[in-house]
Amino acid sequence: MSRAIPRLVVAGTASGVGKTTATVAIARALRARGLQVALFKCGPDYLDPTYHARAVAGTSHNLDGWMMGREAVLSTFAAETAGADVALIEGVMGLFDGASPTGEEGSTAEIAKWLEAPVALVIDASGMARSVAALVQGFAGFDPALRVAAVVCNQVGSRGHLDILRQAQAQVNRSLPVVGGLPRDEAQRFPERHLGLRTADEAALPEERLDHWGAQAEAWIGLDALLEIARAAPPLPAAGAAAIPGAAATPGAGAAATPGAAAGAQRGRARIGVAFDEAFHFYYADNLRRLEAAGAELIRFSPIRDARLPDVDALYLGGGYPEVHAERLAANAALRGEIRAFAGRGGPIYAECGGLMYLTEAIRTLDGRAQPMVGLVPAEAAMCEKLQALGYVEVETQARTILGGAGLRFRGHQFRYSELRPSQRAAPAPAEPAAAPAPTEQPPSPSTPAPLPIEHAYSVRRRRGGQVAREGYRAGSVLASYVHAHWASNPLVPEGLVASAAAHRKERAR
């Protein structure tokens, strides 16, 4: 059975050309017309989806070809477009940029082709006139299997400038029109910080700014033309069971990869506390849904504000900006003590990136000040001026963890400006069994975390270059890593975390 869903990929010629602004503006304008808009983001980005969510008062989902695989992308798209009038999919980087310089894996183009979706190409038209036609022709002709159907010009100087751009493109290809643009407006730019855009909370993105960009889209962009293009997309076939990318050697890898598909999942198996506030909010919506599908009830708490943990059976500490809020986190000694006590009772704690930093003994900010943290990982998380790691990785567990047995494989990515430095007070590391190096193993690069006096439960292979490093810092029931994992790559992982939480629940009840 197939299903028709009007859809449009909003892609760019490069990063920084205004894809997010255009996507948010168009979505906000369509919502003002009374349309139900489903929003998606290509790639692993956590921040752009927060702008999407604010634009339509809903949830935006990531679609990442490398981390999720084709069937999981199609399944997620099908599930999250139910009841929608139109879907907008914001691209990542440039239209053809992805995990490889020679292929389309992980690119916006790959997602557009999987979804059979037309593309609206966003360009930065500042200082440009007839050259717009040459640029568009290059992108439109690069891959004949992809349909670039419209052009949106960002940073235009005036109505007259936009008319020049329309004429230049129409003289070359009338069937691929400039449907409009957005004027240069420095006062209404979205705010940024070191990881890209700031999270779209009320302080960074007031409703008035969203309304402004929605009004600009209504006034400057041919929304009716875009809707006509989106509605011409062909029906999509029903999504099948999702394959697990890269998980051929994983025990049980034939499990269904769509949330809710796990057989026998029981609601209320366990309660998992999810850290969520200004410091911690980098979570894939799909990951949270998979925990719920496995029977978990998710309870939010704030490491900044709450003095006590909620009554939960496990903790999930996601990424975010703990370095920005390090002083406030340090000031909440009561909650830090609660987390240490929870770990001491054998409570499962899973942490990613910012969550890992919070579990260290201290976060050292760029001004050189060290703020005390939870102290479960015997190291210091030090902020650096330069980027320390960026890119896709594949993880294989080397021992049993709170996620399941050894040999679990899953995919994720890293994007960080911090590094772990050994603590002066650290105890000796537990002995680890010797492991034969992988064929592609190379000496650690400068961005590889220094060896720590703690057990390393992960083997982490970089997608680009193939270097392998030991990571995944484990101490008792604590598992922390710099890897942001996407569990569509192996749905056994969230199942394993919920099982560990349920086991701890039973232990507490004795």
Side-chain angles (χ1 to χ4, degrees):
M1 179 184 294
S2 60
R3 186 168 71 92
I5 172 67
R7 57 197 180 276
L8 184 71
V9 170
V10 182
T13 55
S15 294
V17 298
K19 297 186 300 292
T20 303
T21 302
T23 302
V24 166
I26 293 168
R28 190 73 168 187
L30 294 179
R31 182 171 181 260
R33 289 186 173 193
L35 297 179
Q36 186 74 26
V37 184
L39 281 168
F40 300 87
K41 171 66 181 181
C42 295
D45 186 88
Y46 286 107
L47 295 169
D48 292 353
T50 67
Y51 287 76
H52 297 177
R54 289 289 310 285
V56 299
T59 301
S60 177
H61 289 262
N62 292 76
L63 301 175
D64 189 290
W66 190 80
M67 291 198 298
M68 298 174 67
R70 182 178 184 275
E71 294 305 323
V73 165
L74 293 175
S75 296
T76 297
F77 184 79
E80 300 308 323
T81 53
D85 297 307
V86 63
L88 299 179
I89 306 101
E90 182 189 343
V92 57
M93 300 184 290
L95 175 57
F96 300 104
D97 301 322
S100 166
T102 59
E104 67 182 15
E105 189 177 29
S107 70
T108 304
E110 178 182 57
I111 298 294
K113 289 200 282 189
W114 286 353
L115 296 178
E116 300 181 56
V119 174
L121 185 68
V122 178
I123 67 170
D124 181 347
S126 56
M128 188 179 291
R130 188 172 181 235
S131 295
V132 68
L135 179 63
V136 172
Q137 288 306 103
F139 271 82
F142 185 78
D143 185 347
L146 190 69
R147 184 190 173 211
V148 179
V151 179
V152 176
C153 297
N154 193 29
Q155 301 281 10
V156 298
S158 64
R159 292 281 184 182
H161 182 202
L162 183 57
D163 287 341
I164 290 172
L165 297 166
R166 289 186 198 271
Q167 293 171 33
Q169 176 59 21
Q171 194 263 339
V172 175
N173 186 350
R174 289 186 176 274
S175 65
L176 174 45
V178 172
V179 297
L182 291 171
R184 186 179 304 116
D185 193 343
E186 292 299 319
Q188 297 293 338
R189 285 175 63 94
F190 295 155
E192 299 183 1
R193 60 162 56 113
H194 60 277
L195 294 184
L197 293 176
R198 284 184 58 187
T199 304
D201 55 26
E202 286 281 355
L205 188 66
E207 285 293 310
E208 293 78 13
R209 187 166 298 180
L210 291 167
D211 290 337
H212 167 83
W213 283 115
Q216 293 290 69
E218 185 65 58
W220 286 76
I221 297 175
L223 298 177
D224 290 334
L226 288 181
L227 285 172
E228 183 178 353
I229 291 168
R231 288 166 178 159
L236 283 174
I244 302 171
T250 299
T258 51
Q266 298 177 0
R267 295 291 177 187
R269 286 177 64 196
R271 291 162 56 93
I272 296 180
V274 179
F276 202 97
D277 57 19
E278 300 94 312
F280 305 99
H281 46 262
F282 289 0
Y283 298 94
Y284 291 124
D286 191 79
N287 282 4
L288 299 179
R289 288 176 60 234
R290 289 174 188 278
L291 291 174
E292 291 176 327
E297 179 184 359
L298 304 184
I299 311 296
R300 289 186 178 186
F301 70 96
S302 170
I304 291 178
R305 296 182 184 83
D306 294 339
R308 301 289 303 273
L309 282 176
D311 181 19
V312 294
D313 310 301
L315 298 179
Y316 182 4
L317 309 175
Y321 296 110
E323 69 280 7
V324 174
H325 303 281
E327 190 169 349
R328 296 172 71 191
L329 291 168
N332 193 353
L335 197 280
R336 292 189 287 115
E338 288 267 311
I339 293 175
R340 283 194 299 272
F342 183 83
R345 296 191 297 269
I349 302 177
Y350 174 75
E352 294 183 341
C353 202
L356 161 65
M357 295 169 67
Y358 181 55
L359 292 183
T360 65
E361 293 184 346
I363 292 178
R364 187 171 296 277
T365 50
L366 288 175
D367 61 6
R369 297 174 61 195
Q371 300 289 350
M373 293 292 130
V374 176
L376 292 175
V377 175
E380 177 182 275
M383 294 302 298
C384 305
E385 292 281 357
K386 295 183 179 180
L387 189 66
Q388 296 300 297
L390 172 65
Y392 289 121
V393 295
E394 185 166 58
V395 173
E396 182 173 356
T397 59
Q398 302 300 298
R400 172 165 288 281
T401 70
I402 57 174
L403 304 181
L408 279 174
R409 290 185 185 178
F410 56 90
R411 291 181 172 184
H413 75 102
Q414 292 190 354
F415 184 18
R416 57 183 170 87
Y417 278 80
S418 71
E419 66 176 4
L420 294 191
R421 295 173 181 170
S423 167
Q424 298 298 318
R425 298 180 305 224
E432 293 185 9
T440 58
E441 190 159 354
Q442 300 177 12
S445 75
S447 64
T448 300
L452 296 175
I454 192 170
E455 184 177 354
H456 295 71
Y458 290 174
S459 172
V460 178
R461 183 186 300 274
R462 296 183 185 177
R463 166 63 180 78
R464 183 170 295 177
Q467 298 97 327
V468 176
R470 295 301 296 271
E471 215 246 31
Y473 309 109
R474 185 180 72 167
S477 59
V478 176
L479 180 63
S481 170
Y482 266 124
V483 176
H484 294 284
H486 199 300
W487 294 334
S489 61
N490 192 337
L492 296 178
V493 174
E495 288 277 350
L497 182 56
V498 174
S500 291
H504 182 60
R505 183 178 196 169
K506 291 181 180 178
E507 196 68 29
R508 293 170 61 202
R510 289 182 180 177

